[in-house]
Amino acid sequence: MKKNQWMKSLLACSMALLAYMPTQAQEPVNGQLWMDVDGNHINAHGGNIIQYGDTYYWYGENRPYRGFTTEEGVGVYSSKDLKTWKNEGIALAVTTEAGDDIERGCIMERPKVVYNKKTRKFVMLFHLELKGRGYEAARVAFAESDSPTGPFRYLRSTRVNAKRWPFDMNKKAQKAAQQTDASKWKDWWTPEWRKEVEKGMYLWKDFQGGQMSRDMTVFIDDDGKAYHITSSQENLTLLVSELTDDFLDFTGKYNMVAPGGQNEAPCIIKHDGTYWLICSGCTGWAPNEARMFSAPSIWGPWKQWKTPFVGTATGYRDMPANKTFGAQGTYIYSKDGKPIFMADIWNERHLSQSLHLWLPIEFGADGVPVIKWVDKW
Ligand code: DGJ
């Protein structure tokens, strides 16, 4: 190898090593590991943040270094400034009871904790997959706690909206859905298949037992009403469902967003009266181009926009905007009216080492969200 070629590869190796090397730096830098006060990378993925009193709590998937099933549970960290984080341990722990919903080896994903002012409980909703059954259970699970750091009591898991039609689906459309048959369609993505999906083929498939619920978030509107937004119907269609006042159940009112659009990782923010939904496509752990929708009401109608991401992740592998800078969203947290888009840069081989990416959301003169790379938010 020529001398300057050798120097170049040495430099490339050192850069790659630096990006993954633990650092004691207190201030989180996008594209690098984020250390808690003990010097460990923050193992809280797919989660969210709440403020309670003068403290922020960050909940997320505690992921193993190897493998992808849940060995510990949902982790929680606390901070006074959103930058220095203390590990508060496992907020909701897996159990060792064979056959239990949350038996070690199940999959807990995308936990979202919200505080219910009426019941004074911290309520956690998360995507649950049962041990040994891959991603087929597709359930939402509920847990609650009197304290933000837990321990959360596991309550139950369920499919959603069993035997219910979307509130805005008329009788004629319901009839058309009932004439579909998902078992007939082995080939996806043909124009004929697409027509059937739009008629509600996958809604009808799970009508009796309840709709699937995988990637999810929870949104609390200004009037205190809470909504569960989830990727359903084989990840093809998003569902927005109203939660009961205690946030522990569904009222039965729901509708579909972008049927057949294959959106997941939903993140939502309301800005100047408009609801903005930012999602990803479905490519497993690999990044893809984000999708954005807006609506004047949580019940739609939703209009699709181009991705809000622009530019490149300068300094982080120069990942382009059309790959969401290598990340997938998990939540939008607003601090003093300034929204932060929280995302995970998944590390499929070592999920616990997946990086965090927080970027400010700016609203242009036209009121449309724009997200650019910054090293520090
Ligand atoms: C993408 C989802 O957004 C993640 O939460 C996780 O379920 C992975 N797929 C699994 O492949």
Side-chain angles (χ1 to χ4, degrees):
M1 199 187 280
K2 281 198 190 122
K3 193 177 167 202
N4 60 351
Q5 263 179 328
W6 185 84
M7 288 294 282
K8 266 190 197 159
S9 27
L10 185 69
L11 194 70
C13 283
S14 327
M15 301 266 286
L17 256 178
L18 269 176
Y20 280 94
M21 245 175 46
T23 143
Q24 291 295 330
Q26 288 295 304
E27 197 162 351
V29 179
N30 283 327
Q32 296 185 12
L33 291 171
W34 286 13
M35 298 306 158
D36 64 14
V37 292
D38 301 320
N40 300 313
H41 178 53
I42 296 172
N43 196 352
H45 307 282
N48 82 323
I49 285 180
I50 60 166
Q51 183 179 6
Y52 185 67
D54 63 354
T55 308
Y56 301 98
Y57 295 92
W58 181 358
Y59 303 88
E61 300 157 17
N62 176 290
R63 288 286 191 169
Y65 185 74
R66 288 213 169 77
F68 66 95
T69 56
T70 304
E71 305 304 313
E72 302 282 342
V74 175
V76 55
Y77 290 76
S78 68
S79 171
K80 299 278 182 206
D81 59 6
L82 287 173
K83 292 187 177 175
T84 316
W85 292 96
K86 176 172 177 261
N87 188 348
E88 298 282 356
I90 297 298
L92 172 69
V94 294
T95 69
T96 47
E97 207 182 307
D100 197 35
D101 273 12
I102 56 166
E103 181 187 357
R104 175 169 293 136
C106 66
I107 303 174
M108 294 177 174
E109 288 187 350
R110 301 195 171 264
K112 303 290 175 287
V113 172
V114 280
Y115 180 65
N116 189 303
K117 288 186 190 148
K118 286 186 193 146
T119 61
R120 299 194 185 165
K121 301 274 187 210
F122 295 85
V123 177
M124 182 191 292
L125 277 77
F126 62 98
H127 166 200
L128 176 69
E129 296 294 348
L130 303 176
K131 183 176 179 179
R133 286 177 48 189
Y135 278 84
E136 77 172 32
R139 296 188 189 175
V140 59
F142 294 86
E144 68 172 10
S145 166
D146 298 316
S147 141
T149 49
F152 278 74
R153 289 178 294 282
Y154 177 74
L155 298 172
R156 70 200 170 92
S157 68
T158 178
R159 284 274 180 104
V160 301
N161 303 311
K163 301 184 182 70
R164 300 262 185 183
W165 293 106
F167 81 94
D168 53 356
M169 197 166 182
N170 63 33
K171 291 269 179 252
K172 195 175 161 210
Q174 291 174 15
K175 217 168 167 194
Q178 290 172 63
Q179 275 149 16
T180 61
D181 180 359
S183 67
K184 273 201 209 146
W185 297 87
K186 303 284 171 253
D187 292 330
W188 282 30
W189 307 116
T190 61
E192 297 76 21
W193 171 88
R194 177 122 208 155
K195 263 192 206 145
E196 297 299 292
V197 172
E198 277 160 21
K199 279 189 209 161
M201 174 162 70
Y202 292 105
L203 166 68
W204 181 236
K205 170 176 82 74
D206 290 322
F207 189 78
Q208 297 299 328
Q211 302 297 311
M212 300 170 110
S213 178
R214 291 200 180 116
D215 279 13
M216 50 140 282
T217 194
V218 176
F219 172 67
I220 315 269
D221 212 336
D222 302 333
D223 59 3
K225 271 201 179 304
Y227 301 88
H228 172 248
I229 304 175
T230 193
S231 191
S232 188
Q233 300 173 12
E234 306 291 350
N235 287 359
L236 287 164
T237 299
L238 292 166
L239 303 184
V240 176
S241 309
E242 189 179 64
L243 294 175
T244 50
D245 285 351
D246 58 8
F247 303 167
L248 295 176
D249 208 345
F250 294 90
T251 64
K253 180 173 181 181
Y254 79 104
N255 76 351
M256 302 191 282
V257 178
Q262 226 186 17
N263 296 293
E264 60 178 9
C267 301
I268 184 167
I269 183 179
K270 186 178 182 183
H271 181 79
D272 285 346
T274 299
Y275 298 76
W276 293 94
L277 190 55
I278 302 175
C279 307
S280 73
C282 299
T283 49
W285 302 111
N288 54 53
E289 184 165 46
R291 294 97 184 270
M292 183 163 70
F293 303 85
S294 73
S297 148
I298 190 75
W299 300 120
W302 293 94
K303 167 185 168 186
Q304 186 159 5
W305 299 75
K306 64 178 190 329
T307 174
F309 290 81
V310 293
T312 46
T314 323
Y316 177 70
R317 303 178 180 183
D318 287 339
M319 285 296 274
N322 66 8
K323 289 275 185 255
T324 313
F325 304 146
Q328 187 183 33
T330 177
Y331 196 67
I332 300 172
Y333 181 71
S334 289
K335 180 180 159 33
D336 306 327
K338 291 190 184 138
I340 305 164
F341 184 83
M342 296 170 60
D344 296 280
I345 299 181
W346 296 113
N347 178 336
E348 188 176 352
R349 286 171 154 221
H350 303 299
L351 282 172
S352 64
Q353 305 302 97
S354 300
L355 302 176
H356 306 289
L357 174 64
W358 289 12
L359 297 172
I361 301 183
E362 294 157 29
F363 287 88
D366 53 1
V368 179
V370 174
I371 304 178
K372 294 181 195 146
W373 176 270
V374 289
D375 292 334
K376 296 180 187 177
W377 51 273

